[in-house]
């Protein structure tokens, strides 16, 4: 077994990690700028207090990877299965990022901030999203089933369909302008007039 390579307070810029395997690495307070992780294998690595900015993280493999207080800004995070991450090191924020087709099934994402993101067809089933913020996010065909949405903020979210009877929703926040996302399955005609 290889010895773990430790990186702290480093910036990695314009590196192409696409379709490569990175093993036995620990990153603390590191920043990744304009890096390509497309289809890379980051299994069993650890990222703590790291920032990924303008990176391609699509289809990245994260088996056993620890990600605590990781921030994604203006990134492509398409089709990533976050259920494979280390569940004890699992906290994020996402800003102006594309997370379409990603999977968070059964994970704890309390108080997570999604700001200006597209979350098309993301699987949030069985996920704890209590207290989370979906600010100006597109949730087209995102799945919410047995999801904890208590105190979650959807006031500026759009294109979501949530079945209140199939999720925990106490004190969740919605705008009068997006209530149709809670009622669409009843086939009501809702007017703003």
């Amino acid at each position: 077994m290889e010895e773990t390579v430790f990186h702290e307070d480093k910036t990695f810029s314009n590196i192409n990690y696409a379709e490569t395997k990175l093993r036995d690495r620990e990153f603390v307070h590191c920043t990744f700028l304009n890096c390509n992780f497309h289809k890379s294998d980051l299994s069993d690595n650890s990222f703590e207090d790291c920032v990924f900015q303008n990176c391609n993280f699509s289809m990245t493999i994260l088996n056993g990877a620890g990600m605590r207080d990781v921030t994604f800004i203006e990134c492509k995070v398409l089709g990533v299965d976050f259920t494979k991450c280390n569940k004890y090191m699992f906290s994020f924020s996402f800003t102006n990022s594309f997370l379409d087709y990603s999977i968070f099934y059964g994970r704890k994402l309390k108080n997570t901030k999604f700001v200006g993101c597209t979350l098309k067809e993301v699987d949030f089933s069985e996920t704890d999203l209590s207290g989370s913020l979906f600010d100006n996010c597109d949730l087209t065909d995102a799945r919410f089933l047995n999801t904890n949405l208590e105190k979650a903020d959807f006031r500026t979210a759009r294109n979501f369909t949530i079945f209140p009877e199939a999720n925990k929703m106490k004190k969740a926040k919605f705008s009068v302008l997006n209530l149709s996302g809670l009622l669409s399955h009843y086939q009501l005609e809702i007017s703003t007039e």
Side-chain angles (χ1 to χ4, degrees), residues 22-33:
L22 289 177
R23 287 286 197 269
D24 302 309
R25 288 180 168 79
E26 191 172 334
F27 300 91
V28 178
H29 301 293
C30 290
T31 301
F32 297 86
L33 300 171

Side-chain angles (χ1 to χ4, degrees), residues 84-193:
K84 305 290 186 185
C85 288
N86 179 333
K87 66 181 178 182
Y88 300 108
M89 285 186 70
F90 195 77
S91 55
F92 306 92
S93 67
F94 300 94
T95 302
N96 298 329
S97 294
F98 296 88
L99 287 103
D100 304 347
Y101 317 109
S102 291
I103 303 168
F104 290 99
Y105 180 91
R107 288 309 185 131
K108 285 187 164 93
L109 284 168
K110 284 183 173 185
N111 303 311
T112 300
K113 289 185 171 132
F114 298 92
V115 178
C117 295
T118 66
L119 298 151
K120 295 175 183 173
E121 296 188 42
V122 170
D123 189 354
F124 288 118
S125 302
E126 308 278 341
T127 303
D128 184 351
L129 287 164
S130 57
S132 291
L133 172 66
F134 293 89
D135 182 16
N136 194 28
C137 290
D138 184 349
L139 290 155
T140 302
D141 295 325
R143 286 179 290 288
F144 297 94
L145 181 63
N146 295 322
T147 305
N148 185 345
L149 299 172
E150 294 177 349
K151 298 182 182 176
D153 190 340
F154 290 91
R155 288 179 291 184
T156 59
R158 62 191 180 283
N159 301 325
F160 59 84
T161 300
I162 300 173
F163 301 102
E165 56 276 355
N167 297 284
K168 292 181 182 178
M169 299 189 59
K170 190 174 186 178
K171 296 195 177 185
K173 297 172 186 159
F174 296 90
S175 163
V176 71
L177 300 175
N178 68 10
L179 284 178
S180 61
L182 297 174
L183 303 170
S184 61
H185 62 288
Y186 294 115
Q187 298 179 352
L188 303 174
E189 290 184 26
I190 300 168
S191 174
T192 56
E193 294 177 15

